[in-house]
Every structure is written in C-alpha cells, then in structure tokens.
Amino acid sequence: MSGATIIDGKAIAAGLRADVAASVERLGREHGVMPGLAVVLVGDDPASHVYVRNKDRETRAAGMASFEIKVPATTTESELLAIITELNARDDVDGILVQLPLPPHIDSGRIIEAIDPAKDVDGFHPINVGRLASGQPALVPCTPLGCIILAKSVQANLTGLEAVVIGRSNIVGKPVAQLLLAENCTVTIAHSKSRGLPEIAAGADLLIAAVGRPELIRADWIKPGAIVIDVGINRVPGEGGKSKLVGDVHFEDARRVARAITPVPGGVGPMTIACLLRNTLTAAAARRGIALAI
Ligand code: GUN
C-alpha cells in the first residue's frame, strides 16, 4: 500500500456541527426548546481555559445557550457540589460538563456522581458507564464517540473487524472499547504495561491509539491496510526552539502502511466538541421526551 487516506477530522466535525445546528433550529421551531450547556471550570489551568473558551464559542454557534461557571482553585468540594446541585435543578441547563482535571483537594469521582445522569454530557457518570456497558441508551463520552464516527467515515460497517485499543483510561480507552463491541468488532484492550504491544497492534484492522506516548507506534506496529485513529495529543520540541503537537502514532511512518489515518492535529481533536454539542442536543430532547433523528 502506498499513501493512506488522511481522515479529515476538521471537515467531518464541521459537518456534524452543522447537523446539530439544524436539529437545534428545528427543536426551537417545533418545540420552543433551546438546549443549554453549562461548563464548570475550577482554577486557572491555561489549557483548560482554552478548551472552555472554544466550547463556549461552538455552543453558541450551534444555536444553543452556553453558561460558563468559573470559580477559583480554592473552591471547596462542598461548594462545587452546591454548584452542581443548582445546575441539576435548572430547566434551562440540559448538559453539565465539569472540566477535568480538578484541583487535588477535590474528589472528581464524587463530583461526577453528583451530576444528574440525564445531564451528564461527558458520559462519565457511573449510570451512563453502566448503561453503555450493558447496551442501554446512554450519554456516551465525546472523544470515543468521535473516534467511532471517524472510523465509520472510512468503512461504514465495522462488523467483524479486529479492533485494538491501546490505552485503558475511563475517558477514552474503556468507553471506546465498549463502543467498538457495540459495532460488532472483536476488541482487544492493550496498554503501556501489555507484553508484546507491537505484535498486538499489528493484528488490528482498526487501531485506536490512546496511550499518551509521542510517536510510540511505528510502521511495523501497523497491519497493511489498517484504519488508524490517533487520539494522542503530545507536545514535543520542534524546529527552531518551538514546540509542536504529535500523536501517539508516528504519522509519516504509518501513512505508508495504513489504509486510512487521522492526523494530529486535525483528526480526533475537532470531533470532541462536535460530539459534546450532539450530546447536549440528545440530552435536551431526551429530557423532554422528544424523539429526534440527529
Ligand atoms: N479534560 C480533558 N478532556 C476532557 C473531557 O473530555 N471532559 C472533561 N470534562 N474534561 C476534560
């Protein structure tokens, strides 16, 4: 194989945002409902502020209401729980996202469990985790959902594929494995401590890399003709003293072997916010018992 298809996450995300915006417009016209997303940011981590600003802009652009709740790093766990309780009760808030990571004095598990599962647009609440694992309708984590949409843009039916997920986080590895099972893949979850990682990866028709190691995955880890979805976003030293972003996959290596591959940046990254908007729309409709074909 020479020359993989480069999966254009930016364009696919733009298409998804446009679909969401059209459904939001219809929800308003037919039901008088405007979905609302509340994002809670604790402290002043610069990267988190950038994410939250982007979420706010995209939420408004899709025609939804955006509420930003920014509180200092000194906020206590019980103060944050009180904010969640208030957002749970508000009818104009359909989605609640608490930006992670939280300061170390706050137990993020307790905060996530306090969110109304019907408003848990991150899909991190144990109720949604359990629903996904048992095949019931659930709010599903955004980055994993984005990975599946990108893989299906290459091959609409993933049934029977050998899928290998490298990474076992609650945010990406575990939920993406559940989604792949639901797509009828044979799923292997490997991670940084797995023995024989290159051989495991080389068995994959569909490889999802979410391990957080810059350019770990080289050409000989990839089965010729595989679909490669790279979730990694790693900042490494670049030319002229500047830094650059690379994935968990060595892109130039992999594109010579794979059938299709996502770039970093411009692959999975743009899909995350688009899927968050989709989840907010889904939550807004589901909370009101409105059937929506998104
Ligand atoms: N921080 C990094 N990724 C995420 C995410 O998907 N959701 C939340 N809430 N915080 C994050």
Side-chain angles (χ1 to χ4, degrees), residues 10-26:
K10 255 169 115 168
I12 295 169
L16 179 54
R17 290 199 308 270
D19 290 347
V20 169
S23 293
V24 167
E25 192 273 329
R26 204 167 61 241

Side-chain angles (χ1 to χ4, degrees), residues 97-100 122 124:
L97 182 147
V98 179
Q99 185 67 32
L100 302 175
D122 257 330
F124 293 165

Side-chain angles (χ1 to χ4, degrees), residues 102-120:
L102 289 168
H105 65 275
I106 298 178
D107 179 345
S108 52
R110 269 170 110 164
I111 300 301
I112 289 165
E113 287 195 35
I115 297 172
D116 178 350
K119 298 189 177 188
D120 168 38

Side-chain angles (χ1 to χ4, degrees), residues 124-140:
F124 293 165
H125 191 289
I127 292 271
N128 281 314
V129 175
R131 282 187 185 148
L132 173 60
S134 57
Q136 298 171 63
L139 286 166
V140 169

